[in-house]
Amino acid sequence: MINTDVNLLEMGKRAKVASRQLAKASSGQKNNALVAIAEALEEQREYILKENALDMADGEQNGLTDALLDRLNLQKRLDGIISDVRSVATLADPVGEVIDERTMPNGLVISRQRTPIGVFGVIYEARPNVTVDVVALAIKSGNAAILRGGKETLRSNTALITVMRDALVAQGFPADAIQYINSTDRKYVGELLKLHEYVDIIVPRGGAGLHRFCLENSTIPVITGGIGICHLYVEPSADFEQALAIIHNSKTHRPSVCNALDTVLVHESIAAQFLPQVVEHLGKDGVAFRADERALPYLRDYDGIEPAGPDDFSTEWMALICGLKVVDTLDEAIDHIEEHSMGHSDGILTYDAESATRFLNEVDSSAVFWNASTRFNDGGQFGLGAELAVSTQKLHARGPMALEGMTTYKWVVRGEGQTRQ
């Protein structure tokens, strides 16, 4: 069961001890634990979905946005979540992997070997699927975790953690490998950020405010991500039918997530022809638009068009809203992305290989796309099984942070009596 005595210091101590036990587990033991977790989630489906339905009802009553309710909802996603756990069990174990090896002139054999980081502190909002992803990835990578979800998903997370911890214990793993802060008091977030003696890394998953709070208050390294202002730039050589399908998928598939499209940039030579098609194609699904002054003249006959405000191109919409902007050149498109992007997911739609190569080389986001939807910036879609977060920073892990991103490395030196001269 979940520890109800919220003593962060003790939780940290127990997590550190558990992490050392996890680091010694074999690949087979970890895979068996993940299969057991998947089976337990399947067996306890009714209980989990009942608790989630209560969270959803409270969320609706308390006025949660459609975006947050979408993230909270497990009713149609539990099968996919369980499938992801099984998928992680089939992936290669990164722990112990030798990254490179060399023999020095003095005979020393020096290599780098992947090793677990230790203890993760994960702070997130209305996304109970994150609870399962973190547990699966932590177990497979040999790490312990302390989780703190949002108050709006307390019942869902409590149910998920209870089921998974019971499954872990039944497989001989320490219960303290996964601990959950089941209090909604925000003071515990601040306390977690100060547990540098026991927690090795903090991963926030939520809005900009949460990320900023963690960066400003943590004494532990923080990996930021999960916030994206995502762009697609349409060049004259683009296949319009293909481009419309990509834009539609990027914007409407799941508008509340971080890799959903926010702004379409269109080259001026095709703006008159292409912009009305974008509005017609997306407008059928209820998308509203914020158009810059150069785009507006082409869209006077359409509903749902508003002039873009001063902050609109710096807004992560997380809703069925899309910015439209006309640019004269590839350079102008890249400059706009440089100014407004959060370094998450940006792409170009073109059949000009030279332009595409320049875009892919010069746009410095965690994932860049050529004739593909931004929605693919995801651990599962990249063949990683699941993800802890999509990191938008440049050190340690970048893009979908999965098993490899949850390890560090150590230098291993093998000798035959060498001494330094």
Side-chain angles (χ1 to χ4, degrees), residues 275-276 278-280 283 287-292 295-308 322 324:
L275 282 172
V278 173
V279 170
E280 291 174 3
V287 178
F289 301 90
R290 305 290 187 268
D292 82 326
L296 283 171
Y298 304 118
L299 304 172
R300 298 192 187 282
D301 296 333
Y302 296 93
D303 296 327
I305 311 295
E306 295 183 16
C322 186
L324 302 173

Side-chain angles (χ1 to χ4, degrees), residues 8-9 12-13 121 123 146 181 186-202 212-222:
L8 265 292
L9 183 61
K13 290 178 179 179
I123 305 165
I146 298 174
I181 302 172
R186 294 192 64 183
K187 74 176 184 179
Y188 293 116
V189 173
E191 289 186 20
L192 178 60
L193 297 178
K194 305 298 184 185
L195 283 182
H196 53 269
E197 291 185 63
Y198 306 106
V199 177
D200 297 286
I201 199 161
I202 294 290
R212 185 168 54 252
F213 180 82
C214 291
L215 286 169
E216 292 174 354
N217 292 278
S218 180
T219 59
I220 306 166
V222 177

Side-chain angles (χ1 to χ4, degrees), residues 110-373:
I110 299 176
S111 62
R112 288 187 295 153
Q113 181 175 308
R114 292 200 183 279
T115 184
I117 287 176
V119 179
F120 278 75
V122 186
I123 305 165
Y124 53 111
E125 295 174 348
R127 300 191 67 171
N129 64 296
V130 172
T131 306
V132 182
D133 288 346
V134 171
V135 171
L137 291 168
I139 296 302
K140 185 64 179 260
S141 59
N143 293 289
I146 298 174
L147 297 86
R148 201 280 188 179
K151 63 181 180 180
E152 64 285 335
T153 187
L154 182 60
R155 293 189 188 91
S156 303
N157 284 336
T158 299
L160 291 167
I161 291 288
T162 299
V163 171
M164 291 189 290
R165 279 171 59 108
D166 288 348
L168 281 176
V169 171
Q171 290 293 312
F173 280 74
D176 293 325
I178 303 297
Q179 298 181 73
Y180 187 77
I181 302 172
N182 62 343
S183 171
T184 60
D185 193 330
R186 294 192 64 183
K187 74 176 184 179
Y188 293 116
V189 173
E191 289 186 20
L192 178 60
L193 297 178
K194 305 298 184 185
L195 283 182
H196 53 269
E197 291 185 63
Y198 306 106
V199 177
D200 297 286
I201 199 161
I202 294 290
V203 181
R205 291 192 62 169
L210 173 62
H211 286 250
R212 185 168 54 252
F213 180 82
C214 291
L215 286 169
E216 292 174 354
N217 292 278
S218 180
T219 59
I220 306 166
V222 177
I223 289 185
T224 56
I227 304 173
I229 298 174
C230 305
H231 302 78
L232 286 173
Y233 168 50
V234 189
E235 278 221 320
S237 66
D239 178 312
F240 280 17
E241 183 176 353
Q242 180 188 83
L244 289 169
I246 292 170
I247 291 169
H248 184 272
N249 180 260
S250 298
K251 179 70 261 182
T252 68
H253 183 249
R254 279 195 67 196
S256 67
V257 295
C258 55
N259 56 18
L261 177 65
D262 294 290
T263 300
V264 177
L265 305 171
V266 180
H267 192 275
E268 58 85 21
S269 66
I270 59 171
Q273 181 183 2
F274 189 70
L275 282 172
Q277 293 185 46
V278 173
V279 170
E280 291 174 3
H281 198 68
L282 273 65
K284 296 174 184 177
D285 288 301
V287 178
F289 301 90
R290 305 290 187 268
D292 82 326
E293 59 184 10
R294 296 185 64 189
L296 283 171
Y298 304 118
L299 304 172
R300 298 192 187 282
D301 296 333
Y302 296 93
D303 296 327
I305 311 295
E306 295 183 16
D311 298 322
D312 282 352
F313 290 117
S314 296
T315 298
E316 182 187 26
W317 293 114
M318 299 179 66
L320 289 174
I321 302 173
C322 186
L324 302 173
K325 181 178 175 66
V326 175
V327 296
D328 291 322
T329 63
L330 172 61
D331 285 320
E332 186 179 348
I334 292 174
D335 288 344
H336 176 94
I337 293 172
E338 174 67 23
E339 180 179 355
H340 297 281
S341 172
M342 304 291 287
H344 197 291
S345 306
D346 297 293
I348 184 170
L349 308 181
T350 183
Y351 275 90
D352 183 326
E354 183 177 349
S355 292
T357 300
R358 273 200 59 204
F359 185 96
L360 298 178
N361 288 338
E362 295 181 25
V363 173
D364 191 19
S365 296
S366 77
V368 287
F369 298 87
W370 178 8
N371 291 342
S373 171

Side-chain angles (χ1 to χ4, degrees), residues 64-114:
L64 287 186
T65 65
D66 289 342
L68 285 176
L69 287 171
D70 177 63
R71 292 186 171 196
L72 174 59
N73 194 347
L74 286 178
Q75 304 301 313
K76 296 181 179 179
R77 297 199 184 109
L78 190 55
D79 284 337
I81 291 168
I82 295 170
S83 178
D84 284 345
V85 176
R86 297 186 187 279
S87 177
V88 172
T90 68
L91 297 175
D93 187 346
V95 178
E97 176 190 357
V98 176
I99 302 171
D100 55 48
E101 184 174 279
R102 70 196 73 177
T103 301
M104 305 303 291
N106 62 3
L108 287 178
V109 179
I110 299 176
S111 62
R112 288 187 295 153
Q113 181 175 308
R114 292 200 183 279

